[in-house]
Every structure is written in C-alpha cells, then in structure tokens.
Amino acid sequence: MRILIYIVIVGLCWGCQNNKIEKLYYESGKPKFEVEFSNGLMNGYHKEFHENGNLKTLTYYDNGNISDSIIGYFDNGNIEFIQFRTNGIDSIYTFDKKDKFINSKSKVINHQINGWRHYFNEKGEVISKIEFIDLLEDEPYINQGIYFDDNKNIIDSLSAYYMINVRDTLKANKSYPIKFIYKPTLSKASKVYVCYGSGINENYSNINKIRLDTLVLEDFELTTTIKLSNIGKHNFRGFFYEKYVAYSPSEKNDSLVTISTKSNKMYFDFEVFVAGDDI
C-alpha cells in the first residue's frame, strides 16, 4: 500500500535550513513535493502532488514527528485514505475513488498493515476480510482470507482460514481437548500438518530453533489435548503446513510423470490463561 512507502520517503531532507520551504518539481514544472523545515527538522505541512497538480498526500509535522492524521487523495481530488495517528498502532481507512464510501479498514504497526483488514461495500457491510501478519519481511504476510455472500455466510470456495476450539482458561497441569479445523488454500487433496511448541516469538522467526510438536489432520480436522503448567497468560503459537503434490502424466509417453509440489503455511496465535487449582 502506498502510504507505507510514503512514510519512509518523508524522512528525507532536501537542504534543510531554518524556517524554509523546500520544493521539488516534476519535469513538467508542476510541484511534486512541498516541505516546511525549521531548525533542520520538518516542521509544518508536508505536501505531495499528483502530476496534474492536485494534492496527493498531506501530512503535518511537529519538530520532525508526524503529529496528525495523514490524508491521501486520488488524482481526481477525492480522498483515497486517512491514516489516523495513535500511540504505536495506526488505523487506516481507504475510500472508493468514484463513490467515496469507505471500502476498507485496517491497522498499521511499525509501518506495516497488521491484523485483519476488513473490506466493505457501499452499504457499509463487510464483504471480505484478509489477515496480515508481520514476519519481519519486506511485505506483510497474507495469512487468512474470508469472503462472505449477501447473507453474510462464508463462501468456502473463495476462502482460506482455520478455527481452533479450546477453553480460554485452563487449570495448571490438567489436560484439555483442543480441536483444529483447517480450510485448505491449495487443494482438497492436500495433506495438512499442525505444528506448535512453547517459546515461539510473536513474529515466528525462531520456529527453526524450537522443538515443535507435529500432528497430521484427517479430513482437515484434528482433536487432541493441551496441558500447560505455568500459571498466567500464555500465547499459544504455531502454524498449519499444507502440502499438495500433483502428478501429471505425459501426453506423449505414459511412462513419464511430472511431479509438482506446492506448500503453504498458515500461522496461528491465541491467548489462554492458566490458573491454579482454586478456579
């Protein structure tokens, strides 16, 4: 999304001087950027323009820090997005170019879309939602996608998601049933594993260094048990691993077979509370 790139660009300074407005132009001579500086820091409005001269983005800086919402505009002058500034977590609303209604809403953490992004129709109804997670890569990872029909029912043929059913409060050292349900992304003939373990960090960057329990789902479902010993809140993390192998016989030679393999990971993270025996 362009706003994420824009946040990086605005950190640049063109010949900063005290109380100065710096301008950058297109080859046509029309303005491209207009930035206010004070004491070597961006201080005031930062404006970016489309080639037709209309405003593209508008940001207000206070001593080098963004201090208000960031507003983006389409080249026809209508609002494209509004990024509302909060402490650490921003909200972004995007708008339809022609009819101006809000068509999506999402969160931004550390300059990346993170969590569920909801998409709306002109009536304000949710028509789909996509989950993005931060795996410390250049782009957020698309983890799940759910699409709805006019009756707000999930369209399984378009959607890919999981469900995990378990109690949110457990007694220490006691086993509880946990059920995994997975909607495949590749094929109904895929084989699916669920992998989890203790100590997985929030961006899953250490999963190759941790001992993982790996179980096979049958018909994309699995019921097993969970037992935790340390009292307090726990983030139960892991991932589904889907693998699909396709065998394609040669049209010219029946004895030759082409084998292709596809795979996908879908990550999960949910919180449970482990209490003592007195609950």
Side-chain angles (χ1 to χ4, degrees):
M1 185 177 180
R2 177 164 58 81
I3 182 61
L4 306 180
I5 301 173
Y6 170 71
I7 292 174
V8 177
I9 293 175
V10 297
L12 299 177
C13 173
W14 299 278
C16 301
Q17 296 180 13
N18 293 344
N19 302 320
K20 184 177 180 180
I21 297 178
E22 291 284 340
K23 295 182 180 181
L24 189 67
Y25 296 87
Y26 288 103
E27 291 183 1
S28 64
K30 291 185 178 181
K32 187 174 186 179
F33 289 101
E34 183 178 304
V35 188
E36 298 178 26
F37 290 102
S38 178
N39 298 320
L41 296 174
M42 283 185 284
N43 201 34
Y45 283 105
H46 180 293
K47 300 177 182 178
E48 181 185 5
F49 299 89
H50 290 283
E51 290 194 60
N52 64 5
N54 287 340
L55 195 62
K56 189 174 184 179
T57 55
L58 179 65
T59 311
Y60 187 80
Y61 278 79
D62 183 10
N63 291 320
N65 297 311
I66 299 175
S67 65
D68 204 349
S69 300
I70 303 170
I71 304 175
Y73 299 87
F74 290 108
D75 55 8
N76 65 359
N78 291 339
I79 292 178
E80 180 183 0
F81 66 85
I82 300 177
Q83 181 171 343
F84 297 96
R85 304 292 299 167
T86 55
N87 294 325
I89 302 177
D90 293 357
S91 297
I92 286 187
Y93 292 78
T94 64
F95 296 80
D96 180 79
K97 183 175 183 178
K98 180 180 178 182
D99 296 324
K100 303 180 183 180
F101 65 88
I102 295 174
N103 58 20
S104 79
K105 182 173 68 173
S106 55
K107 296 287 185 183
V108 170
I109 303 175
N110 296 327
H111 307 326
Q112 278 199 354
I113 295 176
N114 205 311
W116 287 99
R117 184 175 190 180
H118 292 79
Y119 296 85
F120 307 91
N121 59 20
E122 63 276 7
K123 299 178 182 178
E125 301 169 333
V126 177
I127 56 175
S128 64
K129 60 180 185 178
I130 308 294
E131 185 190 29
F132 297 86
I133 59 175
D134 184 5
L135 297 180
L136 300 181
E137 298 175 349
D138 292 338
E139 298 291 337
Y141 184 84
I142 298 176
N143 197 47
Q144 301 182 76
I146 301 177
Y147 296 81
F148 302 95
D149 61 21
D150 293 339
N151 296 317
K152 300 180 180 180
N153 297 315
I154 295 176
I155 305 175
D156 269 342
S157 60
L158 300 177
S159 303
Y161 58 92
Y162 67 82
M163 292 185 289
I164 299 176
N165 299 324
V166 65
R167 288 183 53 174
D168 57 6
T169 301
L170 314 175
K171 286 186 178 181
N173 299 309
K174 182 178 179 180
S175 295
Y176 290 87
I178 180 171
K179 184 175 184 179
F180 298 93
I181 302 172
Y182 179 85
K183 173 66 176 63
T185 63
L186 303 176
S187 170
K188 292 183 179 179
S190 294
K191 192 157 190 173
V192 179
Y193 308 83
V194 60
C195 307
Y196 57 90
S198 61
I200 298 176
N201 58 29
E202 61 182 7
N203 51 47
Y204 304 93
S205 61
N206 63 342
I207 56 175
N208 294 325
K209 302 176 183 178
I210 289 178
R211 180 185 175 277
L212 298 175
D213 292 321
T214 301
L215 302 171
V216 181
L217 277 66
E218 296 293 339
D219 296 324
F220 307 114
E221 294 187 8
L222 170 69
T223 299
T224 183
T225 59
I226 179 175
K227 182 170 69 172
L228 300 173
S229 57
N230 295 328
I231 295 174
K233 291 182 180 180
H234 293 262
N235 281 90
F236 190 79
R237 297 188 178 109
F239 59 90
F240 295 92
Y241 178 72
E242 178 184 358
K243 183 177 181 180
Y244 173 64
V245 180
Y247 300 90
S248 303
S250 173
E251 295 180 358
K252 297 180 180 181
N253 188 338
D254 293 339
S255 63
L256 297 178
V257 177
T258 300
I259 302 174
S260 60
T261 302
K262 296 180 180 179
S263 63
N264 182 66
K265 286 183 180 179
M266 192 179 294
Y267 298 85
F268 59 83
D269 181 355
F270 62 93
E271 189 176 89
V272 294
F273 182 80
V274 178
D277 294 334
D278 55 345
I279 65 170

